[in-house]
Amino acid sequence: MRYRDLLAEALLSLADYHIALAQYDSAREPLEASRREFARLHDLGGQMRGLGRLARIADQQGRLAEALEYCLRGMAISSTGNERRFHTSLKIHAASLYTRLGEFGPARQYLKEALAISRYHDYPDRINLIMGELGELNRAQGNWAEARRFYGLGIAVSHRIAVADQSTVRAMRFHLADVTERLDDHAALPLARTALHEAAEAHDVLLVPQLLALLGRTWLHQGRPDSALAYATRGREASAQARSLEGLRAAYEVLAQSHAAQGSWAAAYQDQRRFDTYNDSLQGADVSRRTAALRFNHAAAQHRAELQLMGQQEELAHLRRQRLAAGLLVLLLLATMGGTALLWRYRQRQRRREIALRNTLAADLHDDVGTLLSQIAQQSGRLQEGLADAAGQRQQLGEITEASRTAVRQLNDVVWSLDTHNDRLPDLLNRMRDYAYEVLHPAGLEVRFDFPAGLPDQRLSVLLRRNLYLIYKESLHNVLKHAAGATAVAVRLRYVARSLPQLVLEVHDNAPGPASASTRPEQGTGHGLRNMATRAEAMGGAATAGPATGGGFRVQVAVPLASPRRPFGLKADA
């Protein structure tokens, strides 16, 4: 990146060298190359300087409208920091062009803006240029006294600059002497002589002829036509060598007036004709420049009008986008508020369900485990009293042991039902097998399982898994209590594929003799066949019980695999 910086600056310096020698064609190639490098580096200041050099070339070749276009293009680039100085230079150059084109209003406005920026940021090298241009502006309008004041200020400011542009200072000295002479001030003569001496030492071939013509006009106004004729003759020769049309016009004007003052009317006539020729040529060029400037200003005004229209359209589009964004924001806020409300209601509902589930579990533990613990406490108390004989004590210890085992099983069932690792159908089947072996084998009952291999690996909700398991336990509990003479129990689970898949659980014992639902009474609150039906209904299913074909008693429960309508023991949501 540093290499490209150096390359761009070197190309710009090479272009400056050719511009100083008026080799404009040779300057264009390195200038364009430097502009491309600055653009690649995103160097705004370098791009401004490149446009400024193009403006200078066009200005020195007399294409003022083209020079003004380059200045305005450079000024359109955003300017901050170091770029502000280059932006100010372009503004000063644009003001100079407007002054020479006779557009004094824009020239004054640009100079006013440039002066404010230069004073605020302390740019003395720009301030002296602005003072010189303000002098030019007032000189072009015939305000000789104001012009002299600004030229004097510009020369004074240049003394503050370590390396001032001496060509600019020399030009201001010439203009200071010129307006002083136009004010009929005798100080014009020493000012012009000093300026001529400095210009001659600097070999300023463009300024020397004009200073010689100025000295000739000064001597003529002081009544010395011979001295005026001498300086004007020298000015004519220097202008011819420098090919300065302005110098030739000024020289022939003084020569015509000097010859007329001496009474040499033929020579005066010839000089006047040459003056008219150069004056007409310069005025024609000036008219051409002004015409080009008018065309440029017209095109610029049209462009500004188009930009203004585009800006208005963009503003309208921006307002539409703002309204649309505001509408979308309102909709988003409403949706967010609605979603927040729904989430709050869902969490509240879940919280109520969790509280109800805890209450249900607490009630179950109180009914089952609490009753068993009370029995254990009573048996332990009687055992401590020592009233029973040895056989009675062994019976009491057996009852305590059985009650403890049952309490442990109840607690294990509660923990198992709450463990999320057991939420699949195979986990439920394994638990059902384990429980059947725990309670039926000690009672001498054989258990047969009919679980098809094709059952799905279905995830079950906590409530469905718990209620189905409790129904199953209740069925086995009823077999132990009421199936007198039974020797075997068959447990069958079927998967019924419907629009709403179902699980069908059957518990069938082989107890002999007649049996009916009425012979299996309910055993306390929260138990029995009615309890099974209530739990099945809570899951969206149904439970039936009665004598089986071929003997025995059968309990059948059919429940959907979808989420239950509400958990057992809960009231329906409002």
Side-chain angles (χ1 to χ4, degrees):
M1 187 65 72
R2 181 60 180 167
Y3 161 76
R4 292 207 173 272
D5 285 341
L6 295 174
L7 176 61
E9 293 292 343
L11 289 169
L12 188 63
S13 298
L14 180 60
D16 286 339
Y17 170 78
H18 287 296
I19 292 172
L21 296 176
Q23 299 171 353
Y24 303 122
D25 292 335
S26 300
R28 288 187 181 279
E29 184 176 351
L31 184 56
E32 290 297 330
S34 70
R35 289 180 62 204
R36 287 195 297 270
E37 290 297 328
F38 284 129
R40 188 179 293 112
L41 294 167
H42 302 288
D43 187 335
L44 300 181
Q47 296 177 51
M48 286 184 186
R49 286 185 288 162
L51 290 169
R53 273 24 173 223
L54 289 173
R56 187 190 305 171
I57 291 174
D59 186 358
Q60 292 180 7
Q61 291 183 325
R63 303 191 306 274
L64 302 189
E66 182 181 340
L68 183 59
E69 182 180 2
Y70 284 126
C71 289
L72 296 180
R73 282 174 55 188
M75 290 159 57
I77 299 176
S78 176
S79 61
T80 56
N82 292 333
E83 292 83 7
R84 190 183 298 109
R85 184 186 295 272
F86 309 134
H87 189 272
T88 305
S89 297
L90 289 170
K91 193 166 285 191
I92 295 170
H93 193 179
S96 172
L97 293 167
Y98 273 123
T99 297
R100 283 176 280 162
L101 290 169
E103 299 286 339
F104 302 131
R108 190 175 297 278
Q109 181 62 32
Y110 276 139
L111 291 174
K112 180 180 178 182
E113 294 172 1
L115 183 60
I117 294 172
S118 299
R119 282 176 171 169
Y120 181 81
H121 294 283
D122 192 21
Y123 298 155
D125 56 334
R126 298 304 187 268
I127 292 175
N128 80 314
L129 294 176
I130 295 168
M131 293 301 171
E133 291 302 330
L134 284 170
E136 285 291 293
L137 175 62
N138 283 278
R139 188 169 74 93
Q141 293 178 298
N143 301 325
W144 312 120
E146 273 300 284
R148 181 167 64 174
R149 183 172 72 87
F150 282 117
Y151 286 134
L153 289 173
I155 294 171
V157 172
S158 65
H159 295 315
R160 293 174 48 197
I161 305 171
V163 183
D165 185 359
Q166 294 302 320
S167 63
T168 302
V169 176
R170 289 194 298 271
M172 281 193 287
R173 290 189 188 280
F174 161 66
H175 293 309
L176 177 62
D178 178 68
V179 295
T180 301
E181 191 276 329
R182 294 181 187 277
L183 289 170
D184 292 329
D185 192 328
H186 293 287
L189 188 59
L191 289 173
R193 282 176 172 172
T194 302
L196 177 61
H197 177 71
E198 292 179 355
E201 285 188 343
H203 303 287
D204 195 333
V205 296
L206 294 177
L207 192 58
V208 167
Q210 297 184 63
L211 283 166
L212 289 170
L214 172 60
L215 280 166
R217 191 175 75 236
T218 303
W219 283 116
L220 182 64
H221 289 169
Q222 292 186 9
R224 296 280 301 276
D226 52 341
S227 298
L229 189 62
Y231 277 105
T233 302
R234 290 174 56 192
R236 180 190 61 191
E237 295 171 354
S239 298
Q241 291 178 356
R243 297 181 181 179
S244 172
L245 296 182
E246 292 184 355
L248 288 169
R249 179 178 63 175
Y252 278 114
E253 182 182 17
V254 175
L255 285 171
Q257 293 176 4
S258 299
H259 282 124
Q262 290 179 339
S264 303
W265 304 111
Y269 174 73
Q270 292 297 328
D271 292 333
Q272 184 64 37
R273 287 186 60 186
R274 291 188 177 91
F275 166 76
D276 291 338
T277 299
Y278 289 116
N279 189 53
D280 290 343
S281 178
L282 289 172
Q283 285 185 347
D286 186 56
V287 169
S288 297
R289 287 195 296 267
R290 289 177 183 270
T291 302
L294 289 173
R295 290 173 182 169
F296 173 76
N297 287 338
H298 177 68
Q302 278 188 326
H303 183 61
R304 285 194 297 270
E306 291 173 359
L307 290 178
Q308 185 177 9
L309 180 59
M310 290 175 59
Q312 291 174 352
Q313 292 175 346
E314 181 63 26
E315 183 67 21
L316 289 175
H318 181 65
L319 290 175
R320 292 193 191 100
R321 289 194 296 268
Q322 282 185 331
R323 290 175 183 173
L324 179 60
L328 291 176
L329 181 60
V330 170
L331 290 176
L332 180 61
L333 288 175
L334 291 176
T336 303
M337 292 172 62
T340 303
L342 290 175
L343 180 61
W344 181 82
R345 290 184 61 186
Y346 170 76
R347 289 183 175 177
Q348 290 296 106
R349 188 181 299 113
Q350 288 294 103
R351 185 169 177 272
R352 290 196 298 268
R353 287 179 177 175
E354 290 175 1
I355 292 173
L357 177 60
R358 292 194 191 101
N359 292 336
T360 301
L361 293 174
D364 289 346
L365 289 174
H366 180 268
D367 289 345
D368 298 335
V369 181
T371 301
L372 291 171
L373 292 177
S374 298
Q375 292 177 4
I376 292 171
Q378 292 175 0
Q379 295 291 344
S380 300
R382 287 197 296 269
L383 186 62
Q384 288 177 350
E385 290 176 359
L387 300 178
D389 56 10
Q393 289 179 355
R394 284 194 298 273
Q395 182 181 359
Q396 290 174 352
L397 286 173
E399 291 175 354
I400 291 174
T401 301
E402 182 61 26
S404 299
R405 288 174 180 169
T406 304
V408 170
R409 279 199 300 269
Q410 293 286 355
L411 288 172
N412 287 338
D413 288 343
V414 171
V415 173
W416 176 86
S417 65
L418 294 177
D419 190 351
T420 57
H421 293 91
N422 303 317
D423 60 354
R424 294 191 173 276
L425 182 56
D427 300 319
L428 175 61
L429 300 182
N430 292 333
R431 185 65 179 176
M432 291 169 66
R433 286 193 184 94
D434 293 341
Y435 185 77
Y437 290 135
E438 286 180 9
V439 298
L440 295 181
H441 278 189
L445 295 173
E446 180 185 357
V447 58
R448 295 189 298 272
F449 294 98
D450 184 7
F451 295 161
L455 286 175
D457 187 13
Q458 177 76 38
R459 184 183 296 275
L460 306 177
S461 68
V462 175
L463 296 175
L464 187 147
R465 176 163 48 92
R466 179 174 177 273
N467 282 334
L468 190 60
Y469 180 64
L470 291 177
I471 291 174
Y472 171 72
K473 285 181 60 178
E474 190 68 32
S475 301
L476 298 187
H477 181 71
N478 285 341
V479 170
L480 292 174
K481 285 192 173 183
H482 306 295
T487 59
V489 177
V491 179
R492 183 184 182 194
L493 187 69
R494 290 184 293 120
Y495 174 78
V496 181
R498 297 178 179 175
S499 58
L500 185 61
Q502 287 187 331
L503 282 179
V504 179
L505 173 66
E506 293 182 2
V507 178
H508 180 199
D509 62 62
N510 63 350
S516 64
S518 60
T519 63
R520 305 266 176 121
E522 298 178 4
Q523 301 296 319
T525 304
H527 299 283
L529 300 178
R530 184 181 301 173
N531 202 356
M532 295 181 196
T534 304
R535 290 185 184 277
E537 182 182 357
M539 292 183 289
T544 58
T549 303
F553 193 83
R554 182 180 65 182
V555 175
Q556 178 176 296
V557 181
V559 294
L561 282 175
S563 299
R565 291 177 297 177
R566 61 181 184 271
F568 173 70
L570 292 186
K571 295 181 180 180
D573 291 334

